[in-house]
Amino acid sequence: MPHLLPDTGPQRVIAASNFVHTVGSGLYLTAGVLYFTQAVRLPAPQVGLGLGIAGLLSLAVGIAVGHLADRRGARGVYAATLAVQALATAGFLLADSFWPFVLVVCVATGAKGAGLAARGPLIRHHGGARPQEFRAYLRAVTNIGISMGAVLAGWAVQVGSHSAYQLLVVGNAIAFAGSALIVFRLRPVAPGPAVGGPRWIALRDRPYLALTALDGIMAIQFKVLTVAVPLWLIGATAAPHWLISGTMLLNTVMVVTCQVRAGRRIATPAAGGFAYRRSGFAFLLACVLISLAAGLPGWAAATVLLAGVAVHTIGELWHSAAGFEISFALAPERATGQYLGVFGLGAGLAEAAGPALLIALCITWGRPGWYVVGALFALTGLAAPLAVRRAQRRQDAAARTRSGGPLKQEQAAAA
């Protein structure tokens, strides 16, 4: 990474808030489920059901809160979502049965999705000429923060006591609260002017919705390394089990060092469409390599798995950079929060459905399932450039009718 810190003060504030927030996220991602199963003693199926309910209920929250950030000012709305995450996380300490658990995890997950949408206008306003590149920088910071949170969570998992898990929850809540306080060091972002025409223009933008769906299918790749690879490594290969941590470390290091560079090379929506295509073929190759680890000696299986993870991470870099470019470049500036809330629906659906799909295909079915998943990624990538061209034509039509007034402009955006 050429610069360790962003160039401007507001960008540094956003990066600092993001870092503190993601340290807390790392605590939860590493040991959150273990807290409810080991400390609260909820059955694992109930925990899985509750998380699934929370994921589904939170899908629409991002759109509404993103629109609120556009209309009321992004700084206060984003800080509020972080404060709600802090309170909901603290509420984990009171969740001693299934329905209280569902309540607090729904609030926490909804606030997380809402925060991602509300942060969009802040990134666009303070991100300079290329907010997409700044978003790539934030993803690198996210990986650093999550890694540090995971290391800290390792202590609670190792100790395994109820008090240790409670300290983990408290630390998570404090991180979210601290992140909210840091956000208030930013100057308020003036809300966008109200415009005529349909209110929920992002939901009427069919080309953008098509890209959201394609990105959602591609976003299943994020679960390959966290769900499919660990289960495959343990159940189907002779590789040492500690290699699970090794694969995550390799992925993290590559993302931290290469994500900004990857984002800098994708500077137009058309380039983003072609990056989707490249990422699809990279995921296909990675799936083939990972599948071949079964039946090999331990050292050979480890080598093939690491090679597959490296190729997968290259695809992840292209996929993430493409999503940053397209989601910002094809969204009207006055409706950034609403559009990014819609774009987040794809990733939310992948979060909810991805684990079950990968387990059914890659783990239950085995090697042929890996080929099917890889082909799904490749076909999705092939469709992306066409979808991008369609979205650009819609954007060009809206630009040509801009002089015709807000109503015509919104109608063109929905075409």
Side-chain angles (χ1 to χ4, degrees):
M1 193 180 305
H3 299 289
L4 294 178
L5 292 175
D7 295 330
T8 66
Q11 289 183 2
R12 294 183 181 188
V13 172
I14 295 173
S17 173
N18 186 75
F19 174 75
V20 173
H21 173 269
T22 52
V23 169
S25 297
L27 292 171
Y28 179 71
L29 288 172
T30 303
V33 172
L34 293 177
Y35 167 74
F36 290 111
T37 57
Q38 302 299 316
V40 182
R41 302 294 182 182
L42 290 176
Q46 287 190 5
V47 173
L49 176 61
L51 293 175
I53 293 172
L56 291 174
L57 292 179
S58 69
L59 288 177
V61 175
I63 304 173
V65 175
H67 178 72
L68 184 66
D70 291 327
R71 298 281 74 83
R72 301 298 181 186
R75 187 195 70 167
V77 174
Y78 179 49
T81 66
L82 293 171
V84 171
Q85 284 189 76
L87 292 173
T89 302
F92 290 173
L93 299 174
L94 304 177
D96 56 358
S97 60
F98 177 68
W99 288 113
F101 156 69
V102 171
L103 175 63
V104 293
V105 81
C106 281
V107 174
T109 305
K112 176 184 176 182
L116 293 175
R119 192 181 63 169
L122 288 176
I123 295 175
R124 173 158 246 165
H125 182 80
H126 296 295
R130 288 278 302 153
Q132 299 91 324
E133 191 173 318
F134 178 53
R135 178 64 185 85
Y137 173 86
L138 290 179
R139 182 163 191 266
V141 172
T142 294
N143 274 263
I144 296 173
I146 288 177
S147 299
M148 292 187 65
V151 171
L152 295 173
W155 169 82
V157 175
Q158 183 66 32
V159 173
S161 68
H162 189 272
S163 297
Y165 280 112
Q166 285 186 320
L167 285 175
L168 179 148
V169 172
V170 171
N172 195 2
I174 290 174
F176 291 150
S179 180
L181 291 175
I182 293 172
V183 168
F184 278 107
R185 295 187 59 189
L186 292 171
R187 292 182 179 180
V189 175
V195 295
R199 180 179 183 184
W200 302 106
I201 59 172
L203 293 175
R204 296 169 178 263
D205 190 338
R206 288 188 292 272
Y208 197 87
L209 291 175
L211 285 169
T212 295
L214 291 175
D215 185 80
I217 296 172
M218 200 71 84
I220 295 173
Q221 62 89 5
F222 288 114
K223 295 301 178 183
V224 169
L225 296 188
T226 58
V227 175
V229 166
L231 293 175
W232 183 251
L233 185 151
I234 291 174
T237 79
H241 291 184
W242 57 260
L243 193 66
I244 294 174
S245 298
T247 60
M248 294 306 299
L249 178 62
L250 174 61
N251 173 262
T252 299
V253 170
M254 290 182 66
V255 170
V256 169
T257 56
C258 300
Q259 187 65 74
V260 173
R261 188 178 305 167
R264 189 175 294 125
R265 295 177 178 176
I266 301 171
T268 65
F274 292 127
Y276 271 126
R277 187 171 66 183
R278 292 196 303 273
S279 68
F281 284 111
F283 294 143
L284 172 59
L285 177 57
C287 286
V288 171
L289 288 171
I290 293 168
S291 74
L292 294 177
L296 296 177
W299 65 269
T303 301
V304 172
L305 280 170
L306 288 174
V309 169
V311 173
H312 182 95
T313 304
I314 292 172
E316 180 182 329
L317 294 170
W318 287 332
H319 166 227
S320 297
F324 300 155
E325 174 62 33
I326 286 170
S327 60
F328 275 97
L330 298 178
E333 185 171 354
R334 68 185 181 282
T336 298
Q338 184 185 147
Y339 266 73
L340 293 186
V342 166
F343 201 76
L345 289 176
L349 288 172
E351 183 82 18
L357 178 67
L358 292 174
I359 290 172
L361 291 175
C362 300
I363 307 306
T364 303
W365 191 5
R367 183 174 289 171
W370 282 100
Y371 301 154
V372 172
V373 170
L376 176 64
F377 289 141
L379 291 173
T380 303
L382 285 172
L386 178 62
V388 169
R389 286 195 294 270
R390 185 184 175 205
Q392 285 187 295
R393 285 197 297 268
R394 184 274 307 165
Q395 191 179 56
D396 293 341
R400 286 194 298 269
T401 58
R402 186 168 289 119
S403 60
L407 180 57
K408 289 185 178 181
Q409 188 174 343
E410 303 300 347
Q411 291 172 342

